[in-house]
Structure formats: structure tokens, C-alpha cells
Amino acid sequence: AQTVTQSQPEMSVQEAETVTLSCTYDTSENNYYLFWYKQPPSRQMILVIRQEAYKQQNATENRFSVNFQKAAKSFSLKISDSQLGDTAMYFCAFIPVNTDKLIFGTGTRLQVFP
Amino acid sequence: DSGVTQTPKHLITATGQRVTLRCSPRSGDLSVYWYQQSLDQGLQFLIQYYNGEERAKGNILERFSAQQFPDLHSELNLSSLELGDSALYFCASSVEFSGANVLTFGAGSRLTVL
């Protein structure tokens, strides 16, 4: 079965500091996509970053970057210069190419303190 | 505004009742997905439609059904409601149905069953 595991239910970080959220996944597929979604208190699901498994270069979007380790099936999210608006639930998600089901982890609740 | 419209935003009903949740996908998107998020849980995939046809089924109960209409909007019907059906129901859309396409989520419909 394909699964996504987020082992940190809650994390906290001080404003302007850096925090890393962990995600591991299990699959026998070789080609797939990985995502981080953010869910703020408004409950809207917002795409943060996407990584294609066949690309070795780690994806970066402004203050957000990933550390993708394909052999280890690890996909962590680093948030630099944390801002109060980064407070949210963060979900790691995975989908094999040519399939239809995006599989989510259980989420990490991130609190950014002033 | 993500471009995916879900109605109603909030719905309170009683056990045993039936409700319909509606989703209008983003303009140009042919694929619609339904997800269920119970309290403080990750998103569980329910069902997916592509251009009017069912493409994939997840952990959808027999009491639940969905369809996608010719104008591409979709409805999720929940019947014989139980307390455990209380959740946030998300609709998402994408251009096609492969993992290469990013899902855009609506704001969700919060269902409370009393």
C-alpha cells in the first residue's frame, strides 16, 4: 500500500527562524509527484511546493524549499525566515504518475511565535 | 479565490437526513475530486470524475454517491447521515487526471450532523 507519514504532529518556531517539517512515503512506483499543502485556520488547502521524482534538483519557492531524498523516500519541507502567516497545518502528499489519487499524510500543525 | 466554488459553506443537519454538496470546478478543468477531512485528520480521497465519467473511487461509503454533470459541476450526495459523517468536504479540480496536474482545492463545505 502507498502511504505518507508525517511523524511530527506539532511543531513550533519563532518568527524569522527556520523550521523543517518531515515527511516519508512508501511506494514501489518509480515516477511520482510529491507536494506540500498548507491549511491555515481558514481551512483552505493551498499548494506550497511540488517536486517531481525524476528531477534531482530540490524544488524551491521563495522561503520554502524541500529536501528530496528519493532512495530514502523522504521529502522534508524547510521554511526559512518564518512568518506569523505561516501558522497552519501542513500536509505532505504523494501521487504516482498516471494515477488519480492524491494520498495525504496526517499533517503537522505549525505554530509560529512572535 | 482558487476558482473552485463549493456550496454550501456550512451545513447543519440531523442524523438520518440526506444532503447534497455542490462543486463548480475551475474554468477549463475537466477533473473533479472529492475529499473528506474529519476533525484534525488528513484528507481522505472519496471519488474522482473526469469529463462526466467516474475515474477513481476511494474510501467512499455506499451511503454516499456523486456525479459530474455535462457543465462539469459535480455533486456529492450523502444519505442516511450519521454523527461520524461530520467533516469538512473538499472538492478539487485539475485539467486532466494524472499526477502531473496540480489539484486546486475549493474552500470546503463543513457538514455538522447532530
Side-chain angles (χ1 to χ4, degrees):
Chain A
Q2 295 164 339
T3 58
V4 177
T5 301
Q6 294 180 249
S7 58
Q8 305 153 314
E10 294 185 1
M11 296 277 288
S12 62
V13 64
Q14 196 152 24
E15 205 175 2
E17 296 296 308
T18 294
V19 64
T20 299
L21 309 183
S22 301
C23 172
T24 59
Y25 56 95
D26 186 23
T27 183
S28 57
E29 300 284 342
N30 190 51
N31 203 7
Y32 46 86
Y33 294 83
L34 294 157
F35 304 84
W36 279 96
Y37 278 89
K38 167 184 177 181
Q39 188 179 39
S42 68
R43 295 293 189 175
Q44 177 77 49
M45 292 291 288
I46 302 165
L47 178 68
V48 174
I49 200 164
R50 180 177 89 148
Q51 175 78 43
E52 296 163 60
Y54 62 88
K55 286 189 177 178
Q56 292 186 341
Q57 186 173 7
N58 288 324
T60 299
E61 286 288 341
N62 301 314
R63 299 182 294 106
F64 299 87
S65 62
V66 298
N67 182 3
F68 174 47
Q69 302 289 329
K70 191 172 183 179
K73 296 180 182 172
S74 169
F75 182 61
S76 60
L77 174 70
K78 185 171 84 171
I79 306 174
S80 304
D81 187 25
S82 296
Q83 299 175 359
L84 296 178
D86 295 334
T87 293
M89 280 287 282
Y90 287 81
F91 292 98
C92 178
F94 156 89
I95 186 169
V97 171
N98 297 324
T99 66
D100 308 320
K101 190 166 70 171
L102 188 61
I103 302 166
F104 284 87
T106 52
T108 296
R109 185 180 302 279
L110 176 68
Q111 179 73 50
V112 180
F113 291 98
Chain B
D1 182 4
S2 68
V4 179
T5 304
Q6 289 188 249
T7 57
K9 284 188 169 47
H10 301 277
L11 189 55
I12 301 174
T13 188
T15 54
Q17 295 298 306
R18 182 180 191 276
V19 299
T20 297
L21 309 181
R22 193 179 193 278
C23 170
S24 294
R26 201 176 52 159
S27 177
D29 286 357
L30 300 178
S31 200
V32 170
Y33 307 75
W34 286 97
Y35 282 84
Q36 179 193 55
Q37 184 181 29
S38 299
L39 186 63
D40 289 335
Q41 297 291 313
L43 277 72
Q44 297 295 319
F45 171 71
L46 295 178
I47 198 164
Q48 182 215 353
Y49 282 82
Y50 176 74
N51 204 21
E53 307 239 341
E54 184 184 303
R55 278 279 309 176
K57 229 172 191 177
N59 301 320
I60 188 167
L61 299 171
E62 284 191 13
R63 300 183 285 108
F64 296 1
S65 65
Q67 55 184 327
Q68 186 180 28
F69 294 87
D71 67 352
L72 300 177
H73 92 270
S74 178
E75 292 181 357
L76 178 67
N77 300 297
L78 316 174
S79 62
S80 302
L81 285 168
E82 301 175 359
L83 295 177
D85 297 328
S86 294
L88 194 55
Y89 290 85
F90 281 104
C91 171
S93 72
S94 67
V95 173
E96 293 182 1
F97 51 79
S98 76
N101 295 286
V102 173
L103 271 62
T104 302
F105 284 82
S109 292
R110 179 172 294 284
L111 173 65
T112 301
V113 182
L114 300 176

